[in-house]
Amino acid sequence: MTMADEANQKMEAYLGKLRQRLRGMNDDDAREIVEELRSHIRDKAAASGQMTAEGVDRALASLGSPEDLASQYMTDDLLARAVVSRSPLRIVQSLFRWASLSIAGLVVLLCSIVGYFLGAVFIVVAALKPFHPGTAGLWRLPSRADDFELSVRLGFGSAPGSGRELLGWWIVPIGLGAGCALVMLTTRFAIWCVRQYRKSRALPRG
Amino acid sequence: MSCSGSLALDCMIPCNARYVFVKVTAARDPDNVDKWEVQLRKGCLELAILAALWEEKLYGLEILRRLESDSDLIVSEGTVYPLLSRLKALGLVKSEWVESEAGHPRKYYALTPAGKKRVMDMAGIWKRFSSSMSKLLAPLGKGSK
């Protein structure tokens, strides 16, 4: 194997790993990233004329591991798409990635999941009220002496004996309104946090 | 119609729940000047890259060399490329592929009008900030009495 072959092989192995880690990203974007880095490695490794294996090694070492590099590209790509798409699914997907990188991301992820979950529960209970009018709704249940619990029941099972239903048929408009508002607010909150994070960060890692 | 049994799905909101606030404090070491320097460089990198593109379009390695020769920003290559891609996604730079004498195409970056405005704004802030810092730091140059 010639020197140039060896150098080429090392470079392609690195770029192959990088490409693999960029899965999930738009194909054209991923291809362009790989092309750009290939061009960079060639320029860098052939600084003194011929591209050598040592030159490639040096160039790869200063780029860092393909895993790290890909994760910097991916995180930003996901966060960018979340801000543009506004779809709760995409937002939660991006938040999972952010959460894997920082505690702030984890906190935002947990808050968003709670927000979306409660929103979905309100919408579902409003939708189920016509089918289970006696049991679906917001219930106030006694728990201990002077304490009580609020329970959103979807209408399966029997009505709790000692509880009181609070809203009656009002649960339909209120549930739909509150549910949609929660989903919207959670989306805006998550996007706002992601925007702040992207703005605050000149570099993806510290 | 009665739906009985095990499908009971409940979402309880206990009113007496204790809410735990997790206070997230970044690990800070006031004595660590190196860390502070890293943060400082990090904060300047976006401005430095946009400024490097002010006069002409450049490809990634040229930007890196410009940053190394014209400033003492020590830049990791694995940081600049993802950052360039982010600046492009934000619409501050645009890119085009140009064939080179080296036998492979290179990706050149240039400022967009939004990028030009951004770098002007950032430069203004930087100048005001650095001149007020210089005033504040002036007594330090005179040495301690």
Side-chain angles (χ1 to χ4, degrees), chain B residues 40-55:
Chain B
L40 190 64
R41 288 176 188 285
K42 211 168 101 167
C44 297
L45 191 53
E46 185 178 331
L47 172 59
I49 289 180
L50 292 174
L53 292 171
W54 183 257
E55 285 181 327

Side-chain angles (χ1 to χ4, degrees), chain B residues 39-115:
Chain B
Q39 294 297 323
L40 190 64
R41 288 176 188 285
K42 211 168 101 167
C44 297
L45 191 53
E46 185 178 331
L47 172 59
I49 289 180
L50 292 174
L53 292 171
W54 183 257
E55 285 181 327
E56 54 182 332
K57 59 178 187 182
L58 300 171
Y59 60 93
L61 192 56
E62 277 181 326
I63 295 175
L64 278 159
R65 287 183 180 144
R66 179 75 55 98
L67 294 183
E68 275 163 20
S69 63
D70 292 359
S71 69
D72 62 349
L73 283 168
I74 302 160
V75 201
S76 122
E77 296 171 2
T79 301
V80 167
Y81 283 101
L83 184 54
L84 280 168
S85 141
R86 185 162 80 95
L87 293 174
K88 192 183 165 193
L90 291 171
L92 299 176
V93 301
K94 57 188 178 193
S95 67
E96 60 172 336
W97 286 93
V98 178
E99 280 299 332
S100 72
E101 74 286 356
H104 56 262
R106 289 171 177 150
K107 191 177 178 182
Y108 278 80
Y109 291 90
L111 291 177
T112 61

Side-chain angles (χ1 to χ4, degrees), chain A residues 32 36 39-40 43-44 62-63 69 72-73 76 144 147 149-154 157 198 201-203, chain B residues 3 9-13 16 42 45 59 61 77-79 81-83 86 97 104-107 109:
Chain A
E32 192 155 342
E36 179 174 31
S39 155
H40 166 88
D43 278 335
K44 194 94 200 267
S62 51
L63 277 175
L69 194 55
Q72 295 195 46
Y73 276 113
D76 208 70
R144 264 174 294 161
D147 241 342
E149 280 170 348
L150 284 178
S151 164
V152 178
R153 298 185 85 89
L154 301 184
R198 293 186 77 212
R201 186 182 69 137
L203 299 185
Chain B
C3 250
L9 177 57
D10 234 5
C11 166
M12 307 290 255
I13 311 170
N16 56 352
K42 211 168 101 167
L45 191 53
Y59 60 93
L61 192 56
E77 296 171 2
T79 301
Y81 283 101
L83 184 54
R86 185 162 80 95
W97 286 93
H104 56 262
R106 289 171 177 150
K107 191 177 178 182
Y109 291 90

Side-chain angles (χ1 to χ4, degrees), chain A residues 31-50:
Chain A
R31 203 174 310 129
E32 192 155 342
I33 288 171
V34 170
E35 279 309 315
E36 179 174 31
L37 292 169
R38 181 178 286 123
S39 155
H40 166 88
I41 297 166
R42 281 188 177 152
D43 278 335
K44 194 94 200 267
S48 50
Q50 184 76 21

